[in-house]
């Protein structure tokens, strides 16, 4: 039973009422409008103006006196002496309140941590089940903004080959910010500040932030943010941001859960990037970045089936760098690799988006030209020969013609062959004829 419905009784009542081991059998206060009396009535607990009357009505083991009245305290002491009832008052009542309140606080914190762990567990499942990098990044942003109740956020990944950050996912921003998709890490800039700190950075008001320039964010209307580096295996992967358009005090809980999310996100992104890299290595040439021989044959088979189904022509060009062994022997393999890269770039500029350019092997390249007849393919091959001849390559003066050139052979379905193996053989035969005729030219397959 609680005697006193003021601040003390009002604070104790909900705490004691939460525990199933404790039954609050009544609350007494001389005032009908005392907050403790009103609360007791809402909870269905008996109330009385006179504590002595309440004592007669209920079966009580403990009386807690928080009335603050000396006369009430003396009277209760006299009454409790005649009964086997425990009386808690004064400093003891205050200590009881603090102990129970502390326990309730700890229970709430434990429950909060449990809820965080459950949320992160669910997030972990979502991250590992993401089938593509875009889906993964979208899931991370959704989780980050939901957990922190922020209206906007973004993910920037670090491109170690270029030494810059690339904005890869955004939420809640205008289209303008998405257009600025990459930036260099400048000394003294905000990105450098975040990466150097290597921990969660909270900025409550960007207008008052003086450690780094933030003008671009302010132009977007951002006023506060949390940013955390994404690090996996001691390697910087990027930065995760959550943003608000008003100044805001972020809680320690929000910082903590975003840090935990960032750890999971960094691992998931790192694994996805490794998977994508391995997939690219399986289908592309490491030096030129072009489709490799195996993937080229696969693509040719697919395009040939489509051409047969719809009655379209299809042409193949096989190209070769003239006297490439001589160039390598004279200038070295490093410069030889540069030549292959530059020839690749020249040919990329000449082909259409629907065409497939591949490194066929060594210094040989091949191109699939869907819906292209013999003359059209020959014209493209000749343009490539001319384009490479116009380019300047280091050390090309050592070549037999004092310039670096390519030769090309062209074969077309269905005029020259019906199957992909035959088509490639005919194009290779035409290339041999181009070489035999003096190089630096394109030749159509002419038959046996």
């Amino acid at each position: 039973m609680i005697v006193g419905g003021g601040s003390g009784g009002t604070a104790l009542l909900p705490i004691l009422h939460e525990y199933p081991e404790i039954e609050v059998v009544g609350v007494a206060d001389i005032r009908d409008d005392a907050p403790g009396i009103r609360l007791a009535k809402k909870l269905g607990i008996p109330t009385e103006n006179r504590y002595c009357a309440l004592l007669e009505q209920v079966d009580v083991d403990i009386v807690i006196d928080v009335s603050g009245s000396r006369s009430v305290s003396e009277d209760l002491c006299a009454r409790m002496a005649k009964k086997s009832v425990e009386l808690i008052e004064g400093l003891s009542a205050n200590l009881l309140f603090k102990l129970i309140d502390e326990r309730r606080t700890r229970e709430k914190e434990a429950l909060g941590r449990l809820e965080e762990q459950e949320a992160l567990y669910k997030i972990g499942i979502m991250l590992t089940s993401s089938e593509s990098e875009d889906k993964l990044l979208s899931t991370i942003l959704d989780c980050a903004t939901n957990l922190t109740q922020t209206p906007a956020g973004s993910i920037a990944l670090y491109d170690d080959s270029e030494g810059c950050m690339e904005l890869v996912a955004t939420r809640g921003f205008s289209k303008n910010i998405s257009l600025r998709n990459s930036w260099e890490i400048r000394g003294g800039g905000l990105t450098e500040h975040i990466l150097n700190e290597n921990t969660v950075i909270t900025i409550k008001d960007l207008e008052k932030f003086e450690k780094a320039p933030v003008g671009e964010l302010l132009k977007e209307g951002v006023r506060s943010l949390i940013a955390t580096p994404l690090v996996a295996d001691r390697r910087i992967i990027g930065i995760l941001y959550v943003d608000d358009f008003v100044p805001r005090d972020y809680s320690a809980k929000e910082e903590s859960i975003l840090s935990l999310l960032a750890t999971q996100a960094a691992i998931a992104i790192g694994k996805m990037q490794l998977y994508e890299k391995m997939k690219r290595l399986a289908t592309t040439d490491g030096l030129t970045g072009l489709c490799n021989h195996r993937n080229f044959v696969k693509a040719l088979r697919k395009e040939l089936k489509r051409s047969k189904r719809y009655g379209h022509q299809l042409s193949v060009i096989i190209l070769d760098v003239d006297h490439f062994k001589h160039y390598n022997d004279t200038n070295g393999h490093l410069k030889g690799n540069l030549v292959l890269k530059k020839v690749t770039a020249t040919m990329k500029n000449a082909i259409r988006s629907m065409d497939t350019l591949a490194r066929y092997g060594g210094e040989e390249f091949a191109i699939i030209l869907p819906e292209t007849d013999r003359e059209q393919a020959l014209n493209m091959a000749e343009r490539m020969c001319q384009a490479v001849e116009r380019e300047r390559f280091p050390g090309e003066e050592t070549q037999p013609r004092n310039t670096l050139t390519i030769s090309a052979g062209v074969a077309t379905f269905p005029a020259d062959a019906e199957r992909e193996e035959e088509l490639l053989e005919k194009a290779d035969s035409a290339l041999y004829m181009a070489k035999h005729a003096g190089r630096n030219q394109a030749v159509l397959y002419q038959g046996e």
Side-chain angles (χ1 to χ4, degrees), residues 202-205 224 226 244 246-252 254-255:
T202 302
I203 304 177
K204 298 178 181 179
D205 190 346
S224 59
I226 305 179
D244 209 330
V246 294
R248 171 175 168 177
D249 286 319
Y250 294 94
S251 68
E254 288 170 328
E255 293 181 13

Side-chain angles (χ1 to χ4, degrees), residues 37-242:
I37 294 293
R38 295 198 302 269
L39 178 58
K41 289 178 178 178
K42 287 182 180 178
L43 298 173
I45 298 170
T47 62
E48 265 287 353
N49 296 121
R50 295 179 303 119
Y51 60 85
C52 53
L54 188 58
L55 281 169
E56 298 298 324
Q57 298 170 20
V58 297
D59 183 18
V60 63
D61 300 303
I62 302 172
V63 173
I64 303 174
D65 177 19
V66 286
S67 66
S69 168
R70 188 167 191 174
S71 61
V72 170
S73 174
E74 291 174 350
D75 184 60
L76 282 171
C77 284
R79 289 176 183 274
M80 296 307 103
K82 300 175 184 179
K83 299 182 177 184
S84 58
V85 176
E86 196 76 33
L87 175 63
I88 301 174
E89 59 177 343
L91 292 174
S92 297
N94 188 41
L95 178 60
L96 175 65
F97 166 72
K98 288 184 177 179
L99 289 173
I100 296 175
D101 187 54
E102 180 69 16
R103 179 179 173 184
R104 185 178 67 168
T105 300
R106 292 286 176 262
E107 286 178 346
K108 285 185 176 179
E109 288 177 354
L111 182 61
R113 286 194 294 270
L114 179 61
E115 290 173 348
E116 286 181 13
Q117 292 300 323
E118 287 178 349
L120 289 170
Y121 173 72
K122 292 177 181 177
I123 288 168
I125 292 174
M126 287 191 290
L127 294 183
T128 54
S129 62
S130 297
E131 297 177 354
S132 67
E133 190 171 19
D134 288 344
K135 178 64 176 175
L136 174 63
L137 297 172
S138 177
T139 300
I140 293 168
L141 264 190
D142 285 343
C143 294
T145 51
N146 289 337
L147 289 170
T148 56
Q149 294 297 296
T150 45
S154 61
I155 298 173
L157 298 184
Y158 178 61
D159 184 345
D160 52 5
S161 64
E162 298 292 333
C164 67
M165 302 296 292
E166 182 182 1
L167 190 65
V168 293
T170 62
R171 282 283 183 283
F173 289 107
S174 68
K175 293 181 179 179
N176 293 332
I177 198 168
S178 299
L179 295 176
R180 297 192 297 274
N181 58 2
S182 65
W183 65 91
E184 294 181 359
I185 302 175
R186 300 189 305 273
L190 180 60
T191 301
E192 184 187 60
H193 174 69
I194 294 168
L195 294 176
N196 285 343
E197 290 294 320
N198 198 30
T199 187
V200 178
I201 299 293
T202 302
I203 304 177
K204 298 178 181 179
D205 190 346
L206 283 166
E207 288 190 351
K208 298 178 182 178
F209 186 71
E210 298 178 351
K211 294 183 179 180
V214 291
E216 289 297 318
L217 288 171
L218 287 172
K219 286 179 183 178
E220 286 294 324
V222 177
R223 288 295 302 276
S224 59
L225 61 83
I226 305 179
T228 178
L230 300 171
V231 181
D233 297 327
R234 299 182 181 180
R235 179 172 67 92
I236 294 173
I237 290 177
I239 300 174
L240 169 63
Y241 303 85
V242 293

Side-chain angles (χ1 to χ4, degrees), residues 274-295:
L274 180 61
Y275 170 73
E276 293 293 334
K277 182 179 180 181
M278 295 301 292
K279 194 163 67 172
R280 284 195 300 271
L281 287 175
T283 59
T284 60
D285 170 60
L287 176 66
T288 62
L290 297 177
C291 175
N292 62 19
H293 183 279
R294 178 185 175 187
N295 209 39

